[in-house]
């Protein structure tokens, strides 16, 4: 850390303490050249991801929308809430690991569909019917045939 007084790059940490309920660390530093002390704060950088909707609009990623989608798909199915939360956690982690500032909503939908396919096939078909905007029974049948063909 560069000394704000003499621009020396050699400073040492004298004291570290958690700050703001553990979301930051306060560090007291001392310059090894001029001997002056100063304080720095270390925080986790929040990665804000923007979702590009089908119509081109952009909005901030909202974990709650994923949760609502999976809960709706798994309604009246033998799927534990912990399993639903795990799926959402995995998708959110995957989005953050891509280190991209933007992601298309279709990509998120495909991630959720893949996870639902493993979690519960009925929930998968329910979600797919809304997500892919099935318009008739034949579309349902084709999706189910694809699902059966992958086994």
């Amino acid at each position: 850390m560069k000394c704000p007084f003499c621009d020396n790059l050699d400073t040492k940490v004298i004291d570290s303490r958690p700050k703001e309920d553990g979301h930051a660390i306060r560090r007291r530093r001392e310059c090894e050249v001029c001997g002056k002390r100063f304080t720095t704060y270390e925080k986790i950088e929040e990665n804000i991801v923007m979702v590009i909707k089908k119509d081109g609009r952009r909005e901030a990623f909202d974990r709650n929308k994923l949760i609502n989608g999976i809960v709706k798909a798994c309604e009246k199915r033998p799927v534990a809430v912990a399993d639903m939360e795990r799926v959402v956690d995995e998708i959110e982690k995957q989005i953050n690991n891509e280190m991209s500032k933007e992601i298309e909503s279709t990509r998120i939908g495909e991630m959720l569909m893949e996870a639902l396919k493993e979690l519960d096939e009925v929930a998968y078909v329910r979600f797919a019917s809304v997500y892919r905007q099935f318009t008739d029974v034949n579309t349902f049948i084709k999706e189910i045939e694809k699902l059966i063909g992958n086994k």
Side-chain angles (χ1 to χ4, degrees):
M1 180 67 65
K2 186 190 239 183
C3 173
F5 305 105
C6 70
D7 290 335
N8 177 44
L9 291 175
D10 294 325
T11 61
K12 64 181 176 182
V13 175
I14 298 169
D15 183 41
S16 289
R17 294 183 186 180
K19 189 78 174 158
E20 300 175 22
D21 298 326
H23 294 288
I25 296 176
R26 177 185 180 269
R27 298 193 194 281
R28 283 296 290 162
R29 296 178 177 271
E30 182 177 60
C31 177
E32 294 186 350
V33 172
C34 71
K36 292 192 178 180
R37 293 182 177 188
F38 58 99
T39 302
T40 61
Y41 292 90
E42 183 178 316
K43 286 183 147 184
I44 295 174
E45 185 177 357
E46 300 277 334
N47 185 23
I48 297 172
V49 177
M50 297 301 288
V51 177
I52 304 168
K53 308 295 274 181
K54 289 179 183 176
D55 64 3
R57 289 179 300 118
R58 285 169 166 71
E59 62 181 49
F61 172 77
D62 185 357
R63 175 188 170 86
N64 289 328
K65 286 189 175 185
L66 267 180
I67 291 172
N68 291 340
I70 197 168
V71 166
K72 195 70 128 171
C74 294
E75 218 167 47
K76 298 180 183 176
R77 297 294 305 152
V79 179
V81 172
D83 290 336
M84 290 184 240
E85 288 176 346
R86 180 185 46 77
V87 165
V88 172
D89 289 343
E90 288 172 6
I91 291 171
E92 188 174 27
K93 183 178 176 182
Q94 190 176 349
I95 290 168
N96 287 327
N97 284 345
E98 290 181 8
M99 297 300 291
S100 177
K101 296 285 184 188
E102 296 183 331
I103 186 168
E104 292 185 5
S105 61
T106 54
R107 173 105 169 83
I108 296 171
E110 294 298 325
M111 284 189 235
L112 185 52
M113 283 189 19
E114 282 301 311
L116 283 172
K117 194 183 292 186
E118 300 296 317
L119 191 63
D120 185 89
E121 291 174 344
V122 173
Y124 164 78
V125 173
R126 281 182 181 167
F127 184 82
S129 70
V130 174
Y131 178 71
R132 293 202 174 132
Q133 299 174 341
F134 291 175
T135 55
D136 57 23
V137 175
N138 290 330
T139 316
F140 263 106
I141 293 170
K142 286 178 187 172
E143 192 66 36
I144 292 170
E145 285 173 347
K146 282 197 308 191
L147 188 62
I148 292 170
N150 287 338
K151 285 189 171 185

